[in-house]
Amino acid sequence: MSVSALSLFRFPGSVSGLLQVASLLGLFLLLFKAAQFYLHRQWLFKVLQQFPCPPPHWFFGHKQQFPRDQELQQTLKWAQEFPSAFPRWLSGSNAHLVIYDPDYMKVILGRSDPKSHGTYRMLSPWIGYGLLLLNGPKWFQHRRMLTPAFHYDILKPYVAVMANSVQVMLDKWEQLSTEDSPLEIFQYVSLMTLDTIMKCAFSHQGSVQLDRNSQSYIQAVDDLTKLMSSRMKNVFHQNDTIYRLTPEGRRAKRNCQIAHEHTDRVIKQRKAQLQEEGELEKVRRKRHLDFLDILLFAKNEDRSRLSDEDLRAEVDTFMFEGHDTTANGISWILYALAAHPKHQQKCREEVQSLLGDGSSITWDHLDQMPYTTMCIKEAMRIYPPVFNVGRELSKPVTFPDGRSLPKGVIITISIYALHHNPKVWPNPEVFDPSRFAPDSAQHSARHSHSYLPFSGGSRNCIGKQFAMNEMKVAVALTLLRFELLPDPTRIPLPVPQALLKSKNGIHLQLRKLS
């Protein structure tokens, strides 16, 4: 009885003691984090002091100077003010060095630094660790394994597949468009590029453009690009646990599930097809395998198959990169041609003289449309779909002007600022395809790293030839069917999301040609 009474008497004191200990531990942790914050901030200030920029806020960094939807304009403003590079503070202890000088680009892209983990890891719940996010020996192994999927013998027959998908899209436009009603084209271009990648890389049967499940995938990808962009700019959403508890985090999780269900279905269908004896024999006779077949038949150095996780990561990565990036490129190119009718007409005449009615575009035609190619390249200079890439220095670096940085600094390679840098491109906002004329003085004198729509170095886009072919096919066949005009009431507003998107869509008037 007395023991019980004593226990009850001491219990409140024990709770009080525990609370005191917890409070002290919490205070210690807070002080530790504050010291860590301060020391890292001071280290960054010291290593970046060679690169001038406006003073950042102690906690929010340069957030106030980069208002939402004005980031690109502010980047270009600072790029003109500060030669070669400037530090951008994302928060009080998080800064990236933004570079936009060709010599700086050449140094960084010529190295083997890993992708910046802090930024790219936010994409991992969606696309996993495939070629885009992998680093080191595993990246090299996967890159070497997948390179044969882009051999020209594989790409040649894809041209007919691309043309078929484009014609389905154009048939839709013909039914939907009227002269008084502009069309938002990106959603249709996105379905078309998904249709193409599904048929070319994943041996899909049927038309994705008529499948409602595919439309939900497109919507999920569009939503994820916005959510990832928003998360990267929110200092409170950097922590994975906190982000998962937010409404945005829950929305991202739902959209990831939709995307994964789509890719899982693709893998399952192809595996089922390969169970058929005739299909398996047909694959064995191929000199070069398609993208998904390479993954399914691939073996690691220890002769084991790729894990389900690795397989899905590569499929998720290429599904996203292969359709959304290309769809953005095509949509911006069509807008640029709509906004510059003289160049549009010159491209149309070139295509008409080469293809007639366009019913039989082939691989050989793609190298016989030089002016159209020049216009495509100029549109991708002004509107690069991948507007920047990130690296984390794995060892110190010294740039050609003598400024240097230690290991651990994050570099943002601003392809958008490079392409709009007046020291590299005179009158950069002017649409001038002659910049890419093979015999022009500007072309011959151009720096090797002044134009990077597909990045550069060993980690350049593995599918760049596939993407360029698809862009040429889409532009050529569209110009044979329609005259393109911009919607003066809805001029596209470029905004940086996971890719360079238009905040208000890309609306065009489409006039059917007789």
Side-chain angles (χ1 to χ4, degrees):
M1 183 74 178
S2 59
V3 174
S4 300
L6 187 63
S7 300
L8 288 170
F9 178 76
R10 288 180 177 173
F11 185 70
S14 301
V15 171
S16 175
L18 284 171
L19 287 173
Q20 286 179 3
V21 171
S23 298
L24 284 171
L25 286 173
L27 181 61
F28 177 77
L29 184 62
L30 189 65
L31 288 171
F32 176 75
K33 285 291 182 185
Q36 201 177 41
F37 174 95
Y38 176 78
L39 291 172
H40 188 67
R41 177 179 168 82
Q42 291 304 108
W43 177 76
L44 276 173
F45 264 122
K46 185 178 179 182
V47 301
L48 295 174
Q49 64 184 349
Q50 312 158 73
F51 301 91
C53 71
H57 184 274
W58 72 271
F59 185 74
F60 291 109
H62 287 130
K63 187 177 175 66
Q64 299 297 325
Q65 288 98 323
F66 286 81
R68 190 179 291 272
D69 301 336
Q70 293 297 311
E71 285 190 50
L72 295 174
Q73 293 85 335
Q74 189 62 36
T75 299
L76 296 186
K77 210 171 156 187
W78 283 17
Q80 290 190 37
E81 189 176 346
F82 306 111
S84 305
F86 66 79
R88 180 179 171 187
W89 289 78
L90 304 179
S91 64
S93 64
N94 182 7
H96 295 184
L97 184 73
V98 182
I99 66 172
Y100 35 84
D101 177 272
D103 288 327
Y104 275 51
M105 301 285 197
K106 187 174 182 179
V107 169
I108 295 298
L109 292 174
R111 293 162 44 111
S112 57
D113 300 302
K115 296 283 182 81
S116 48
H117 176 72
T119 302
Y120 284 95
R121 71 176 174 79
M122 297 180 198
L123 292 169
S124 63
W126 170 17
I127 61 173
Y129 283 89
L131 272 187
L132 182 63
L133 302 190
L134 281 174
N135 290 300
K138 191 170 181 180
W139 170 82
F140 181 76
Q141 179 195 354
H142 281 220
R143 175 83 180 207
R144 186 176 57 186
M145 173 182 70
L146 289 169
T147 295
F150 301 94
H151 190 278
Y152 72 92
D153 281 345
I154 285 283
L155 297 181
K156 274 184 179 182
Y158 288 170
V159 173
V161 178
M162 292 170 179
N164 179 263
S165 294
V166 172
Q167 296 291 12
V168 171
M169 178 186 74
L170 298 179
D171 289 342
K172 270 190 183 181
W173 286 1
E174 196 167 323
Q175 293 169 8
L176 294 167
S177 64
T178 65
E179 289 192 16
D180 300 325
S181 177
L183 201 64
E184 200 293 305
I185 66 165
F186 176 74
Q187 56 184 315
Y188 299 102
V189 176
S190 192
L191 270 172
M192 180 274 291
T193 57
L194 181 62
D195 192 24
T196 299
I197 204 74
M198 289 280 284
K199 289 174 179 173
C200 294
F202 303 114
S203 304
H204 181 73
Q205 307 296 321
S207 177
V208 162
Q209 298 182 72
L210 307 173
D211 180 5
R212 287 186 181 179
N213 287 330
S214 299
Q215 291 176 359
S216 65
Y217 171 77
I218 294 281
Q219 184 56 52
V221 168
D222 187 53
D223 209 20
L224 281 166
T225 59
K226 291 172 184 171
L227 287 166
M228 293 302 108
S229 173
S230 175
R231 184 186 177 188
M232 288 170 190
K233 296 165 192 168
N234 189 322
V235 66
F236 301 107
H237 286 176
Q238 303 303 300
N239 181 277
D240 292 341
T241 304
I242 292 173
Y243 185 67
R244 278 195 290 266
L245 297 173
T246 65
E248 292 84 359
R250 291 193 293 271
R251 221 169 90 209
K253 184 179 179 181
R254 283 196 302 273
N255 283 306
C256 283
Q257 286 173 342
I258 293 170
H260 293 159
E261 285 168 7
H262 178 82
T263 49
D264 287 344
R265 195 160 50 243
V266 167
I267 294 168
K268 186 178 178 182
Q269 287 174 351
R270 187 55 182 157
K271 281 183 173 178
Q273 287 172 356
L274 291 173
Q275 296 299 314
E276 301 168 16
E277 190 174 333
E279 184 67 20
L280 191 58
E281 189 56 39
K282 191 166 70 175
V283 169
R284 284 182 178 140
R285 284 200 305 267
K286 280 186 177 181
R287 186 179 167 197
H288 299 285
L289 298 181
D290 294 338
F291 181 87
L292 181 53
D293 289 343
I294 283 177
L295 291 171
L296 292 173
F297 286 98
K299 292 185 179 178
N300 293 312
E301 290 178 0
D302 62 359
R303 308 303 294 164
S304 64
R305 299 271 186 205
L306 286 183
S307 69
D308 289 344
E309 184 181 6
D310 285 345
L311 176 61
R312 188 216 255 172
E314 292 298 358
V315 172
D316 275 323
T317 297
F318 196 61
M319 190 79 73
F320 163 60
E321 292 281 338
H323 101 267
D324 203 38
T325 310
T326 312
N328 271 278
I330 291 170
S331 299
W332 283 117
I333 292 162
L334 294 179
Y335 167 71
L337 290 174
H340 300 89
K342 288 183 180 177
H343 296 296
Q344 179 187 158
Q345 182 56 25
K346 195 166 178 182
C347 290
R348 181 177 291 108
E349 289 168 1
E350 177 181 73
V351 173
Q352 285 173 335
S353 68
L354 181 66
L355 300 179
D357 63 1
S359 58
S360 58
I361 186 168
T362 66
W363 169 272
D364 293 332
H365 289 136
L366 301 183
D367 285 333
Q368 298 175 46
M369 42 181 82
Y371 196 79
T372 304
T373 303
M374 285 158 53
C375 287
I376 289 171
K377 288 181 177 180
E378 176 67 347
M380 292 187 73
R381 181 190 67 79
I382 296 177
Y383 305 109
V386 178
F387 59 92
N388 67 30
V389 293
R391 296 286 188 271
E392 182 172 342
L393 297 182
S394 57
K395 57 186 178 182
V397 66
T398 299
F399 295 110
D401 58 11
R403 294 189 282 188
S404 59
L405 291 169
K407 171 185 175 180
V409 174
I410 305 294
I411 304 290
T412 293
I413 300 167
S414 179
I415 295 168
Y416 188 87
L418 170 73
H419 286 187
H420 291 258
N421 187 342
K423 294 175 184 174
V424 180
W425 301 94
N427 302 313
E429 304 308 318
V430 175
F431 185 83
D432 180 11
S434 68
R435 302 178 201 269
F436 294 94
D439 56 351
S440 71
Q442 210 182 133
H443 185 274
S444 57
R446 188 176 305 134
H447 193 290
S448 62
H449 285 66
S450 61
Y451 181 67
L452 299 170
F454 298 105
S455 190
S458 61
R459 294 202 68 145
N460 69 345
C461 174
I462 193 173
K464 64 180 181 179
Q465 188 60 57
F466 180 97
M468 275 301 292
N469 291 351
E470 190 170 6
M471 289 174 186
K472 289 181 184 181
V473 171
V475 170
L477 297 184
T478 300
L479 294 183
L480 289 177
R481 294 269 291 267
F482 295 99
E483 179 187 358
L484 311 174
L485 300 96
D487 177 358
T489 66
R490 285 175 289 195
I491 302 300
L493 300 171
V495 290
Q497 294 177 5
L499 300 170
L500 186 71
K501 301 262 185 171
S502 170
K503 182 185 177 183
N504 55 340
I506 296 182
H507 295 81
L508 298 182
Q509 290 182 335
L510 305 171
R511 288 183 184 165
K512 179 77 170 72
L513 296 171
S514 57

